Amino acid sequence: MKKVLTRSLLTWFLAIAFFAGLGYFVVRLVMNANEWAQLPMNAHLSASGLAQAGAIYDRNGVVLAESVDGERVYNENANVRAAVLHTVGDDSTSISTAIQSVYRNDLVGYNFLLGLGLPESFRSTSDITLTIDSNACAAAYDVMAANNYKGAVVVYNFKTGEVICSVSTPSYDPYSPPEIVEGDDTYEGAYIDKVISAAYPPGSTFKLVTAAAAIEQIDKAPDRYLFCEGSTIIGGEYVTCVEPHNEIDMNQAMAVSCNIYFAELAAELGGDTMTQYANSFGFNKSFKLGDNDVRRSTYDVSKADTAALAWSGVGQYTDLANPLHMAMICSAIANGGSPTKPYMIKDVSSFFKFGNILPGKNGEDGDKMMKSSTANKLADMMRYTVSNHYGDSMFGELHVAAKTGTAEVGDGTEDGWIVGFVTDEDCPLAFAVCIENGGFGISSAAPVARAALEASAKSVRGY
């Protein structure tokens, strides 16, 4: 009798486990079918699925990619094709964050129930309109390509969240994918969208975070004068500047990018406070652009001594920043403390679909990064930096608040940065540019930023 009862219970247990497992699989299938279908190993989508795929347009209706007579064709301008490559993608899924990789099942009309089993005339392919302006992307790309720059540039509307310009280099023509040759770094990183998936030492652009912490935690910090002789000892090690700045306050220190001023502030604030403000500015946090995870910016001084903490306050030590995240920080400064979340998909046109693609949400706020009064002080400092140090002519007719940076990478090279926003009411643009091995940001990143901003301004203003 006991054996029968034991066998009966075991049978019931196995039956329950089987149906529970089956139920779990069905739920996973329903929730993740689209994601599984677009994995690169699914050759029916990744190899030739774009032959009948929907079109991709920029914000002005310019065709970036479409299918014609069973072939995938791209914009007729070679520079535009290369400029928007990392946003649009090519025939493969090598650029994993591109629209043609992430939303391939929507573009080709993949059906949850029938896969690609429907006749082509009945497939529900989606056309996707992006927020980017292809002319703005090409303008930024032209400057980067002319100088053989590798890096990233992003410009977005800090009121609406629309990404207007997004360019990553090195790039290539989707009609002619490169052959990666060992020992040749020409196309190293060509399959990575560095706007989304890269992080670099931020250099002096991180002084915005250190300044915010000091403004809110040190009494009358913006009015404090410190003396810069060109070098000083903090925590037993030398901290150096490019040149002596003598006695300066925070406004002047931001303009001339004095390392000693902000290194001393970081050391005084301490690791816990610096970490608190880095976190409030979005470091060590994850966020998304559409369905793509954006590379996390990191700030970690848990093992830093006083000297290392001082260097972290000027964007060195182990600090890393993502370009899109830095543009979001500038968005927060321009918006009184809260960033606007960026998005890139403006509209999706489809008769009927099972996909999960959604257009962006207009003007959605992110977590507040700083007090409004702090944002206003930083905005004034950044504007002073341009008008009284860089010169307004750097950005043509646009009025810009900005901060440059030169970040030591560790292999003897330096990356050039510039981040900021346009202060003109009819042109609410936040931006970030990072040039690998670019040296001083004012000479490498600034010309790229100008080209991107001038073209983006025309797009936003409608002429």
Side-chain angles (χ1 to χ4, degrees):
M1 187 67 179
K2 290 183 178 180
K3 289 184 178 180
V4 174
L5 179 60
T6 300
R7 291 173 180 171
S8 178
L9 291 174
L10 180 59
T11 301
W12 275 108
F13 174 78
L14 292 174
I16 292 171
F18 171 78
F19 284 107
L22 181 62
Y24 175 75
F25 174 77
V26 171
V27 170
R28 290 288 306 278
L29 178 63
V30 171
M31 294 179 63
N32 300 305
N34 291 328
E35 181 180 345
W36 293 346
Q38 62 197 16
L39 292 174
M41 66 276 296
N42 290 323
H44 64 289
L45 287 180
S46 61
S48 58
L50 293 174
Q52 301 295 330
I56 301 174
Y57 305 97
D58 82 346
R59 64 187 292 109
N60 301 310
V62 175
V63 175
L64 304 179
E66 64 180 342
S67 295
V68 178
D69 297 329
E71 293 185 5
R72 196 64 171 171
V73 297
Y74 298 89
N75 188 276
E76 61 184 7
N77 185 299
N79 279 15
V80 170
R81 293 198 298 269
V84 302
L85 171 75
H86 293 88
T87 299
V88 174
D90 58 12
D91 287 2
S92 73
T93 54
S94 297
I95 303 172
S96 62
T97 56
I99 294 295
Q100 292 190 158
S101 297
V102 178
Y103 302 114
R104 182 164 293 217
N105 57 340
D106 295 276
L107 288 166
V108 303
Y110 172 80
N111 185 293
F112 170 72
L113 297 177
L114 301 175
L116 291 175
L118 283 171
E120 291 175 357
S121 58
F122 289 98
R123 287 185 195 167
S124 176
T125 58
S126 295
D127 293 338
I128 300 175
T129 300
L130 305 177
T131 63
I132 64 168
D133 185 296
S134 56
N135 288 327
C137 294
Y141 174 79
D142 287 348
V143 178
M144 297 182 80
N147 292 280
N148 293 316
Y149 285 154
K150 294 182 179 180
V153 52
V154 59
V155 179
Y156 86 106
N157 188 317
F158 62 75
K159 294 297 184 185
T160 67
E162 297 169 292
V163 176
I164 309 298
C165 173
S166 181
V167 177
S168 177
T169 55
S171 186
Y172 58 87
D173 192 324
Y175 288 132
S176 304
E179 293 184 9
I180 307 298
V181 179
E182 186 176 353
D184 182 359
D185 64 354
T186 303
Y187 291 101
E188 182 179 358
Y191 296 131
I192 300 173
D193 185 345
K194 296 172 182 176
V195 172
I196 298 174
S197 302
Y200 302 95
S204 293
T205 62
F206 190 82
K207 290 171 183 173
L208 297 171
V209 180
T210 304
I215 289 168
E216 295 186 6
Q217 294 295 323
I218 299 176
D219 186 42
K220 298 180 181 179
D223 300 324
R224 176 190 291 189
Y225 279 84
L226 294 176
F227 196 83
C228 168
E229 295 181 337
S231 67
T232 192
I233 296 176
I234 301 177
E237 296 184 18
Y238 277 100
V239 174
T240 59
C241 272
V242 175
E243 61 184 5
H245 298 121
N246 300 318
E247 193 174 45
I248 52 176
D249 63 10
M250 186 181 290
N251 201 38
Q252 295 166 329
M254 186 70 74
V256 299
S257 203
C258 179
N259 285 344
I260 291 173
Y261 192 100
F262 290 97
E264 290 190 356
L265 286 180
E268 180 179 345
L269 288 162
D272 290 344
T273 299
M274 284 297 297
T275 299
Q276 172 191 337
Y277 277 86
N279 289 342
S280 71
F281 270 67
F283 283 78
N284 306 316
K285 294 181 181 178
S286 300
F287 68 98
K288 286 180 173 288
L289 179 64
D291 283 348
N292 283 316
D293 291 318
V294 176
R295 174 75 179 271
R296 182 182 301 185
S297 298
T298 57
Y299 180 85
D300 182 5
V301 291
S302 59
K303 298 180 180 179
D305 57 19
T306 302
L309 175 62
W311 278 113
S312 79
V314 299
Q316 294 293 163
Y317 186 48
T318 60
D319 302 3
L320 290 174
N322 167 265
L324 181 58
H325 175 219
M326 292 304 297
M328 289 180 66
I329 288 176
C330 293
S331 165
I333 295 171
N335 280 328
S338 296
T340 301
K341 293 181 179 179
Y343 70 93
M344 193 176 284
I345 296 177
K346 183 178 182 180
D347 185 55
V348 181
S349 175
S350 178
F351 178 73
F352 185 72
K353 67 183 181 65
F354 287 88
N356 61 353
I357 184 173
L358 295 172
K361 294 182 179 180
N362 195 15
E364 186 176 356
D365 287 340
D367 296 334
K368 193 171 183 66
M369 290 183 175
M370 71 203 86
K371 296 177 181 178
S372 296
S373 58
T374 303
N376 293 337
K377 283 188 175 70
L378 290 179
D380 290 342
M381 288 181 192
M382 295 169 72
R383 181 71 191 112
Y384 175 86
T385 296
V386 174
S387 61
N388 290 275
H389 186 65
Y390 303 155
D392 277 325
S393 60
M394 175 186 288
F395 297 101
E397 296 181 356
L398 295 173
H399 298 90
V400 175
K403 181 72 189 82
T404 59
T406 305
E408 295 180 8
V409 178
D411 58 359
T413 61
E414 296 173 324
D415 293 342
W417 279 90
I418 188 167
V419 302
F421 60 94
V422 179
T423 62
D424 300 310
E425 286 292 329
D426 63 343
C427 193
L429 300 172
F431 66 93
V433 179
C434 182
I435 305 300
E436 299 171 13
N437 305 330
F440 290 109
I442 195 170
S443 58
S444 61
V448 178
R450 174 174 177 167
L453 287 174
E454 288 184 331
S456 296
K458 291 180 180 179
S459 181
V460 171
R461 288 168 168 167
Y463 61 81

